[in-house]
Amino acid sequence: MDPSNYKKLSAKEGRPNLVLLHGFPSSSWDWKNQVAYFQAKGFGLVVPDLLGYGDTDKPVDPKKYVASRLAQDITDILDAEGIQVAVAIGHDWGSRVVSRLANDKPERFSGFAFLTVGYLPPRPDSDPWKSVDILKRLVGRDVIGYFHFFFEEGVDKIIESHFDSFFSLLFPHDPLLWNDHLSVRGATKAWLDADRQAPLPSYLTSEDKEHYREVLLRGGLAGPLQWYHVMSTGALAEDDKLVPPEKIPIHKPVFFGACTKDQVCPPAIHEAPFKALAKGPFTLEEFPADHWLLMSIPDRVNSSLDKWIETL
């Protein structure tokens, strides 16, 4: 990766380096509140735009987005910066990268933190189509029905042509909006076809929205949507076969920040892998927040992460 495509702030002596990995559909901008907090305290920060986003490359080959390659991007960055050990923190699909770093490069990290989306262990026999139905039975309602829409070809152009509608759905003013208009199969496409728009949440500024509009539309959504297509093509499952069984448990300290108001990532569906596979110290904290806790309750998130990092 070109060094101009990521950010790095040097750590003061005695402070660790943090790697902050964002999710879909956003950018390193998600972490602005965490960067301000941890920079002021002397932490080192590596906050990249992940593959498909911002000024990073945007390939449309889903095989470029397999977890092992995404994780290697991060270790390449650490190598370029001369960082031997860091703390990996992921939100949303950033947790997929943190998960693979825990499998492939545990020696490079003193701890792994997952926000909203928990540890995603390798599943070489996984079928995303079946996962939609399994989660529906587990939770008692549709949860990730929008996957079907995101798997379709040409969906990037639909989203781009209805960006304000899409943005108001992905950043909901009311977390319950996702139950009827994101989680249910077919509902997201219906929302966009009708060009429906809802108010923005109070924590999101007009500056935030304009940043996301510029950074996502400038590069297009075809790249970011490969984070989903890599599942539907089977490329992610094939890549998961490369992880030896003994590498699947995490023996380093783990933090999971669960969001009780997140309608797509309810805590219950992510706690089981931790219970089975977190073999080192495990910290669980539930936040009364929606999916975007980095922006909606930044002070509490920053404080909780800070306290956990001190224990490493």
Side-chain angles (χ1 to χ4, degrees):
M1 298 176 70
D2 187 324
S4 66
N5 293 339
Y6 59 85
K7 298 89 176 163
K8 197 263 185 178
L9 300 170
S10 299
K12 292 181 180 178
E13 187 174 356
R15 291 291 194 179
N17 292 287
L18 310 182
V19 181
L20 308 180
L21 305 176
H22 70 84
F24 175 95
S26 46
S27 74
S28 54
W29 182 272
D30 288 7
W31 299 100
K32 64 175 185 175
N33 295 305
Q34 288 66 49
V35 168
Y37 176 87
F38 286 106
Q39 180 187 13
K41 300 195 74 171
F43 288 77
L45 294 165
V46 177
V47 195
D49 288 328
L50 293 176
L51 190 66
Y53 294 93
D55 293 322
T56 305
D57 290 343
K58 301 168 184 63
V60 292
D61 177 359
K63 292 181 180 179
K64 302 288 187 181
Y65 293 80
V66 295
S68 63
R69 295 184 65 130
L70 298 171
Q72 187 62 52
D73 281 347
I74 302 307
T75 53
D76 287 347
I77 290 174
L78 295 182
D79 290 343
E81 291 295 338
I83 297 172
Q84 295 304 311
V85 179
V87 180
I89 304 173
H91 172 253
D92 189 80
W93 277 143
S95 291
R96 176 189 287 170
V97 187
V98 173
S99 298
R100 193 53 177 262
L101 289 169
N103 301 145
D104 292 355
K105 302 289 183 179
E107 71 281 0
R108 300 295 298 271
F109 299 91
S110 56
F112 301 95
F114 303 82
L115 300 175
T116 297
V117 174
Y119 175 46
L120 301 171
R123 292 191 172 94
D125 58 349
S126 67
D127 182 337
W129 308 102
K130 292 181 180 178
S131 296
V132 174
D133 296 328
I134 291 170
L135 288 178
K136 182 177 181 179
R137 291 195 298 270
L138 178 66
V139 178
R141 61 173 175 81
D142 281 318
V143 179
I144 54 173
Y146 63 94
F147 272 32
H148 290 280
F149 178 51
F150 286 178
F151 289 160
E152 294 178 10
E153 293 296 329
V155 67
D156 56 308
K157 299 304 180 185
I158 297 174
I159 293 174
E160 290 164 18
S161 63
H162 297 279
F163 183 80
D164 288 330
S165 175
F166 176 74
F167 192 83
S168 72
L169 178 59
L170 267 289
F171 289 85
H173 71 292
D174 179 356
L176 295 178
L177 191 71
W178 281 6
N179 281 348
D180 294 328
H181 301 290
L182 188 69
S183 296
V184 178
R185 183 174 180 176
T188 304
K189 187 175 189 301
W191 176 278
L192 296 180
D193 285 344
D195 204 32
R196 295 188 61 177
Q197 296 184 34
L200 293 180
S202 60
Y203 58 79
L204 204 69
T205 68
S206 58
E207 181 186 15
D208 292 327
K209 180 179 179 180
E210 289 312 305
H211 163 80
Y212 290 124
R213 181 198 302 277
E214 191 278 330
V215 77
L216 292 172
L217 293 184
R218 171 164 50 87
L221 271 296
L225 283 163
Q226 300 309 313
W227 287 72
Y228 290 89
H229 289 187
V230 70
M231 295 185 287
S232 65
T233 61
L236 185 64
E238 283 297 311
D239 184 63
D240 282 350
K241 293 178 181 179
L242 301 176
V243 182
E246 65 272 16
K247 291 282 191 178
I248 296 177
I250 304 178
H251 296 278
K252 296 291 182 71
V254 168
F255 178 95
F256 178 41
C259 296
T260 59
K261 297 182 182 179
D262 191 331
Q263 303 304 306
V264 164
C265 301
I269 68 175
H270 291 282
E271 290 176 5
F274 287 119
K275 291 178 180 178
L277 298 169
K279 302 302 183 181
F282 175 58
T283 301
L284 168 65
E285 182 161 354
E286 292 192 343
F287 295 100
D290 69 355
H291 187 79
W292 301 101
L293 76 168
L294 301 179
M295 291 175 277
S296 63
I297 54 168
D299 292 343
R300 180 164 174 182
V301 171
N302 296 343
S303 176
S304 296
L305 286 173
D306 196 358
K307 290 177 182 177
W308 172 71
I309 291 167
E310 285 189 11
T311 70
L312 301 182

